[in-house]
Amino acid sequence: MDSPSEDTKDSGKHTSGMALKYQGRKTSRANSEQRRRTILEAALRIVVRDGVRGVRHRAVAKEANVPLSATTYYFKDITDLITDTFTLFVEMGAEKFKAYWEESDSMLKMAMSELEPSNSGSRQVFAERIADLAIEYVLVQLREHCDYLIAERAFQQECLRNENLRPIAFSHQKFFLNSLEAFFSRIGSNHADIDAELFGSVILHVEYQGLIAGFEGDNLRKLRAMLKRQIELTLGIYH
């Protein structure tokens, strides 16, 4: 999995507007911080391969190629280790989403400049372009960050059992939905928050379908049609 762009900070870090707080032992030396991050990245690989329940001190130490005493030094129990692994995951995801949103902003502005709310033909063209942007985002996720999507599903499932992870999950969801809400506000939605929830749910479903059924041929066309249809409904295009 990709590594975060900056060192993990135990005292808390703001990532794209989110305050992320790590639970494990605080570190002050760079080499200690690097070892701690190595352990968390190893735990993330285990989450992808074996699920959250596969994260155990001994398994993580082996995966990270560090002594068992290192994992127990930085994380007093398995709860702290899993919580900090999820925190790192959310931090990485926020940075990736922010980068993609910024790269797509120019294309979004171009599409919006041609949007005439009273013109159904204009709205149809806009829906096509936004569907293209959305499916491109999903395809990038599936092709380049498949491990991230698998880990996301694993953590979502674990949140049903582990209430300690839920605040982190809410932060993860909030950043994603805030970005979508800002988009729907820009195109004049009167219910941007609801539209963000609906479109976000469709994106998550499309990603899941891509993971289990593939994203080529007929399935790709179906995924794109789902995204386009949700945009059409949001814009009031019925046919």
Side-chain angles (χ1 to χ4, degrees):
M1 297 187 70
D2 298 337
S3 298
S5 58
E6 299 178 15
D7 287 347
T8 303
K9 301 297 183 184
D10 300 83
S11 58
K13 176 177 178 178
H14 288 271
T15 302
S16 304
M18 292 189 307
L20 300 175
K21 183 174 179 59
Y22 288 85
Q23 303 300 314
R25 183 187 293 271
K26 294 183 168 116
T27 61
S28 57
R29 294 182 300 172
N31 60 340
S32 294
E33 180 56 38
Q34 181 58 50
R35 171 167 277 197
R36 185 179 187 281
R37 197 174 82 182
T38 296
I39 291 170
L40 291 177
E41 290 174 345
L44 266 179
R45 292 194 296 272
I46 291 175
V47 170
V48 173
R49 188 175 64 237
D50 304 320
V52 176
R53 292 304 169 103
V55 177
R56 294 291 182 266
H57 280 294
R58 192 173 298 278
V60 172
K62 181 178 180 181
E63 180 73 22
N65 195 28
V66 299
L68 178 59
S69 59
T71 65
T72 56
Y73 172 79
Y74 291 110
F75 308 97
K76 69 179 185 298
D77 55 34
I78 203 66
T79 298
D80 277 358
L81 178 54
I82 291 174
T83 300
D84 280 7
T85 300
F86 191 23
T87 300
L88 176 63
F89 165 83
V90 171
E91 180 181 292
M92 293 164 61
E95 291 296 340
K96 288 175 182 176
F97 187 78
K98 179 175 180 289
Y100 184 83
W101 186 263
E102 289 175 348
E103 290 173 4
S104 304
D105 192 58
S106 60
M107 289 181 283
L108 176 60
K109 287 179 179 177
M110 183 179 297
M112 289 180 61
S113 69
E114 301 172 357
L115 176 62
E116 298 176 22
S118 61
N119 186 324
S120 60
S122 170
R123 295 200 304 274
Q124 184 66 54
V125 172
F126 182 76
E128 293 276 357
R129 294 197 176 184
I130 297 305
D132 286 341
L133 281 176
I135 198 64
E136 179 60 26
Y137 167 77
V138 171
L139 289 176
V140 168
Q141 293 293 91
L142 290 168
R143 289 170 177 159
E144 300 180 13
H145 307 300
C146 185
D147 284 355
Y148 175 89
L149 296 181
I150 293 172
E152 183 175 42
R153 296 317 185 272
F155 282 122
Q156 286 172 344
Q157 185 179 44
E158 187 64 17
C159 283
L160 299 175
R161 305 185 184 97
N162 186 348
E163 63 181 17
N164 293 325
L165 298 183
R166 293 173 191 173
I168 309 171
F170 291 145
S171 293
H172 178 52
Q173 182 183 49
K174 182 173 173 50
F175 176 74
F176 179 61
L177 292 178
N178 281 353
S179 299
L180 290 177
E181 185 175 343
F183 159 71
F184 283 110
S185 293
R186 287 170 67 182
I187 65 174
S189 170
N190 293 322
H191 305 284
D193 55 339
I194 296 174
D195 289 334
E197 291 269 5
L198 291 172
F199 194 60
S201 297
V202 173
I203 288 178
L204 292 176
H205 179 70
V206 166
E207 288 176 343
Y208 179 73
Q209 290 297 315
L211 284 173
I212 64 174
F215 47 91
E216 304 293 344
D218 290 342
N219 198 47
L220 175 59
R221 285 187 284 275
K222 179 182 177 181
L223 299 181
R224 185 185 183 280
M226 291 169 63
L227 292 167
K228 179 172 175 285
R229 183 57 178 163
Q230 185 59 52
I231 287 291
E232 289 174 343
L233 292 172
T234 301
L235 295 175
I237 304 172
Y238 304 104
H239 58 78

